[in-house]
């Protein structure tokens, strides 16, 4: 199997009534031009459920009320996956360029969670207008 090097660029922190994405000093400049974006995609590592056992899970019992009795892990948003990579669209409530911190009212990651990347949210690319889902997922 090929090896991939992934670098943690920061971590999730509690911040008052919300959360913060605190970047490592080496990545503060990567925030240049971020002003004006109301939302961002945050890619993070679900480290609290990362284990050899969890990485082997490929089929799970009915996770959705209307769903089939079993579904493949790729049909879930579970962090229990071959690579526990998660993506969350966050609303930006502020950015401190000097400190390298992005503030958000909510992210579905725990304080201390490693952040792998941050990308701008673009509604022209992120929203799929003509899509389909199975009947059980509607």
């Amino acid at each position: 199997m090929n090896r991939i090097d992934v670098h943690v660029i920061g971590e999730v922190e509690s911040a008052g009534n919300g959360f913060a994405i605190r970047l490592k000093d080496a990545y503060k400049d990567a925030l240049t031009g971020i002003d004006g974006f109301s939302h961002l995609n945050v890619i993070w590592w679900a480290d609290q459920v990362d284990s050899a056992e969890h990485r082997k899970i490929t089929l799970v019992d009915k996770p959705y009320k209307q769903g089939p009795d079993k579904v493949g892990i790729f049909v879930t948003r579970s962090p229990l996956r071959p690579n526990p990579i998660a993506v969350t669209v966050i609303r930006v409530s502020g950015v401190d360029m000097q400190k390298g911190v992005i503030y958000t009212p909510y992210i579905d990651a725990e304080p201390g969670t490693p952040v792998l990347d941050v990308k701008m949210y673009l509604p022209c690319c992120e929203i799929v207008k003509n899509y389909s889902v199975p009947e059980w997922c509607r």
Side-chain angles (χ1 to χ4, degrees):
M1 180 179 277
N2 293 336
R3 181 156 182 91
I4 299 172
D5 290 326
V6 176
H7 302 278
V8 173
I9 64 163
E11 71 177 39
V12 175
E13 297 180 347
S14 291
N17 291 334
F19 296 88
I21 312 299
R22 183 173 300 276
L23 301 181
K24 292 182 176 183
D25 288 343
Y27 301 104
K28 288 179 184 179
D29 286 346
L31 292 174
T32 303
I34 207 163
D35 293 336
F37 284 98
S38 65
H39 292 77
L40 298 169
N41 290 297
V42 178
I43 297 91
W44 50 277
W45 194 265
D47 63 316
Q48 293 184 13
V49 293
D50 186 6
S51 70
E53 183 179 320
H54 287 144
R55 286 176 176 239
K56 292 178 186 173
I57 296 171
T58 57
L59 193 63
V60 294
D61 291 329
K62 186 177 190 167
Y64 308 108
K65 187 191 278 188
Q66 301 298 322
D69 289 338
K70 297 244 183 219
V71 295
I73 200 67
F74 298 148
V75 185
T76 75
R77 294 186 59 89
S78 171
L80 308 179
R81 21 196 357 101
N83 293 300
I85 298 169
V87 179
T88 303
V89 177
I90 64 164
R91 184 169 59 82
V92 178
S93 55
V95 177
D96 186 325
M97 299 289 289
Q98 297 293 339
K99 293 181 181 178
V101 178
I102 302 164
Y103 296 98
T104 183
Y106 181 76
I107 184 169
D108 56 345
E110 298 293 326
T113 296
V115 174
L116 304 178
D117 206 348
V118 175
K119 298 177 184 271
M120 61 186 175
Y121 175 87
L122 291 174
C124 64
C125 303
E126 312 294 341
I127 297 174
V128 177
K129 293 181 182 173
N130 297 311
Y131 65 91
S132 63
V133 296
E135 182 68 34
W136 61 263
C137 197
R138 290 191 183 143

